[in-house]
Amino acid sequence: MREQCSGAANIKTPTLKIKKCPECNAEIEVFSTDLELKCGKCGFTIYNELESCIQWCKYAKECVGEEVYQRLKKKD
Ligand SMILES: [Zn+2]
Ligand SMILES: [Zn+2]
């Protein structure tokens, strides 16, 4: 099997981060697999800077799996 890039690990094993809503300053839990989500308080949409290989790795489909790849790729 091909060696996996570090970006793929983030997606295979979701990690939880706390972000602050830029609008109302509420704390929001963001999984590393979430592309975007809404603040539970004010509804502001927050975008997650996905640290993954999907944007640049030519093996991304194999790194993260076909299903995940399709879901995240439609960002652009
Ligand atoms: Zn908010
Ligand atoms: Zn990759």
Side-chain angles (χ1 to χ4, degrees), residues 18-28 30 44 46:
I18 305 290
K19 287 190 171 239
K20 286 233 171 172
C21 173
E23 278 296 297
C24 70
N25 231 23
E27 290 191 342
I28 303 157
V30 185
F44 187 80
I46 289 150

